[in-house]
């Protein structure tokens, strides 16, 4: 067997990447360019095209991981997962209803049913992917379930609603738009500056104006 080259033989990173027997980055770019340059195919790659391509690659990777996870739960190998087949985490099985974290809804049947878009009692790959990654879903039922879970988690006084205080100290950072470079994740130092836009946003969301 031919001896493999040592790292010292490629001390220049560009030489290493462009060595035809290792990883030819130029050849790789030639192959990738037409796959990225599609909207429109004008011989240039725009920021939008590059962003879209990266998103698609991420989605493919997530779906691949979901498929591997699904294979673990699909006990009868029919390409579908029932709630009976999906085993909750061991810490759930070994605890009672009063244990810390038991009320987290992501593993419960309500979440499963919300992910079951066609209502057949089973999750196919797309539905199981939504089940695993509900924040990325376009399924209206699952989006509604997510909203209910957010309300449940932020509703500190347990009245079934989120008042402004609960919104400001829980949800506001998740739903508002801000410049990350200037954002301070702590409300302690800039409560006054944040409260005004928070109240405006809260009023927009509070359609019946009941506070």
């Amino acid at each position: 067997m031919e001896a493999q080259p040592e790292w010292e033989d490629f001390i220049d990173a560009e030489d290493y990447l462009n060595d035809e027997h290792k990883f030819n980055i130029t050849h790789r770019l030639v192959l990738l360019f037409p796959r990225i340059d599609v909207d429109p195919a004008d011989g240039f790659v725009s920021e939008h095209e590059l962003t879209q391509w990266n998103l698609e690659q991420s989605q493919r990777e997530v779906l691949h991981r979901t498929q591997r996870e699904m294979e673990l739960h699909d006990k009868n190998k029919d390409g579908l997962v029932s709630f009976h087949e999906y085993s909750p985490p061991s810490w759930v099985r070994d605890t009672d209803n009063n244990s810390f974290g038991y009320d987290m809804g992501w593993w419960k049947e309500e979440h499963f049913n919300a992910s079951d878009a066609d209502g057949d009692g089973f999750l196919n790959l797309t539905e199981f992917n939504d089940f695993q990654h509900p924040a990325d879903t376009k399924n209206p039922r699952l989006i509604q379930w997510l909203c209910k879970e957010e309300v449940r988690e932020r509703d500190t006084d347990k009245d079934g609603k989120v008042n402004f205080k609960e919104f400001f100290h829980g949800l506001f950072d998740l739903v508002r738009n801000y410049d990350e470079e200037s954002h301070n994740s702590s409300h302690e130092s800039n409560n006054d500056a944040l409260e005004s836009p928070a109240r405006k946003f809260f009023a927009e969301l509070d359609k019946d104006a009941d506070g």
Side-chain angles (χ1 to χ4, degrees):
M1 180 181 295
E2 183 179 352
Q4 293 296 315
E6 298 294 334
W7 170 249
E8 288 77 7
D9 296 332
F10 300 99
I11 198 67
D12 187 317
E14 186 175 350
D15 288 344
Y16 175 78
L17 290 174
N18 285 287
D19 183 81
E20 63 180 357
H21 299 299
K22 299 295 289 183
F23 181 81
N24 191 312
I25 193 170
T26 302
H27 181 61
R28 178 70 171 160
L29 288 174
V30 169
L31 291 175
L32 286 177
F33 192 90
R35 301 182 185 183
I36 303 173
D37 177 30
V38 295
D39 188 24
D42 57 1
F44 298 90
V45 170
S46 66
E47 180 181 354
H48 168 73
E49 289 171 327
L50 191 57
T51 299
Q52 190 63 33
W53 184 80
N54 276 297
L55 285 173
E56 290 172 358
Q57 299 309 302
S58 297
Q59 290 167 352
R60 287 178 59 186
E61 176 63 22
V62 168
L63 196 61
H64 174 69
R65 292 174 181 270
T66 296
Q67 188 165 19
R68 294 178 62 182
E69 181 73 16
M70 186 174 180
E71 290 171 356
L72 298 176
H73 297 283
D74 182 14
K75 304 296 193 302
N76 62 2
K77 306 304 178 185
D78 63 351
L80 302 169
V81 174
S82 67
F83 184 71
H84 176 72
E85 286 178 307
Y86 182 77
S87 301
S90 58
W91 61 265
V92 171
R93 298 193 301 270
D94 299 337
T95 56
D96 57 45
N97 293 10
N98 298 318
S99 300
F100 175 76
Y102 184 86
D103 60 346
M104 294 180 181
W106 63 267
W107 58 269
K108 292 188 175 181
E109 191 167 9
E110 184 182 4
H111 177 197
F112 184 95
N113 291 337
S115 305
D116 181 16
D118 59 12
D120 65 352
F122 301 90
L123 300 185
N124 58 33
L125 179 59
T126 300
E127 293 167 336
F128 191 73
N129 189 59
D130 280 350
F131 179 74
Q132 294 284 95
H133 310 282
D136 298 327
T137 187
K138 295 180 181 178
N139 175 354
R141 290 174 59 197
L142 195 51
I143 292 172
Q144 185 178 28
W145 175 84
L146 273 175
C147 292
K148 288 174 61 177
E149 283 299 298
E150 285 291 348
V151 170
R152 181 193 60 76
E153 183 177 343
R154 312 297 176 178
D155 180 22
T156 55
D157 60 10
K158 305 304 178 186
D159 66 349
K161 300 178 181 180
V162 174
N163 58 37
F164 176 74
K165 181 179 179 181
E166 293 164 337
F167 172 78
F168 185 51
H169 293 288
L171 281 172
F172 184 51
D173 275 338
L174 296 179
V175 297
R176 75 188 183 101
N177 294 319
Y178 54 82
D179 181 348
E180 292 186 3
E181 293 182 357
S182 63
H183 173 60
N184 183 347
S185 60
S186 172
H187 283 188
E188 299 300 324
S189 60
N190 56 357
N191 266 349
D192 293 340
L194 288 175
E195 186 167 335
S196 179
R199 287 194 178 279
K200 181 179 179 181
F201 196 6
F202 184 81
E204 293 175 4
L205 296 173
D206 183 18
K207 301 299 184 183
D208 60 5
D210 64 352

